[in-house]
Amino acid sequence: QVQLVESGGGLVQPGGSLRLSCAASGSFSSINTMGWYRQAPGKQRELVATIISGGRTNYADSVKGRFTISRANAKNTVYLQMNSLKPEDTAVYYCNADLYSGYRRENSWGKGTLVTVSS
């Protein structure tokens, strides 16, 4: 059974920074794409950023230049460094990963961590 556990959310003032982490555990042999999504109150879940195993990244236009996604493959962990935070970044942030066990693929979600940007 695969588990993704996020950490690092909290309350921060506008202009501040936070770093989210997500660690994958369980039975799998490799991880391809890892990513972060978010869901604000009353809105649909949206892509924030993704990173593939080779390191190529993709960002939503709303976070380009402010957020940085990275991963530590040896630790099965993905990070999201969030700088210059705005109130509109307030949301529950979810980790997502494509994990493989042999040829079997499993897409898994974490339970989410709340980020609140407010003065």
Side-chain angles (χ1 to χ4, degrees):
Q1 186 174 356
V2 172
Q3 189 176 20
L4 299 179
V5 178
E6 302 102 333
S7 61
L11 173 64
V12 63
Q13 292 186 342
S17 298
L18 279 177
R19 188 192 194 209
L20 305 183
S21 300
C22 171
S25 63
S27 179
F28 55 89
S29 55
S30 64
I31 306 176
N32 188 5
T33 304
M34 302 187 82
W36 291 94
Y37 293 73
R38 67 186 182 187
Q39 187 167 16
K43 294 188 177 181
Q44 290 188 332
R45 190 173 298 188
E46 63 177 5
L47 169 73
V48 176
T50 60
I51 183 169
I52 64 173
S53 57
R56 187 172 65 187
T57 59
N58 178 55
Y59 294 92
D61 288 343
S62 59
V63 306
K64 282 182 180 176
R66 300 189 298 123
F67 291 9
T68 302
I69 189 170
S70 61
R71 63 191 283 173
N73 291 329
K75 296 181 179 180
N76 297 320
T77 299
V78 62
Y79 306 96
L80 186 68
Q81 177 67 43
M82 305 185 293
N83 299 328
S84 302
L85 282 160
K86 305 174 181 179
E88 51 263 44
D89 294 318
T90 295
V92 178
Y93 283 70
Y94 297 91
C95 177
N96 179 269
D98 276 339
L99 307 107
Y100 287 83
S101 180
Y103 292 105
R104 187 177 69 88
R105 171 184 172 270
E106 178 178 351
N107 185 265
S108 184
W109 290 92
K111 293 184 178 180
T113 185
L114 177 62
V115 172
T116 303
V117 185
S118 175
S119 55

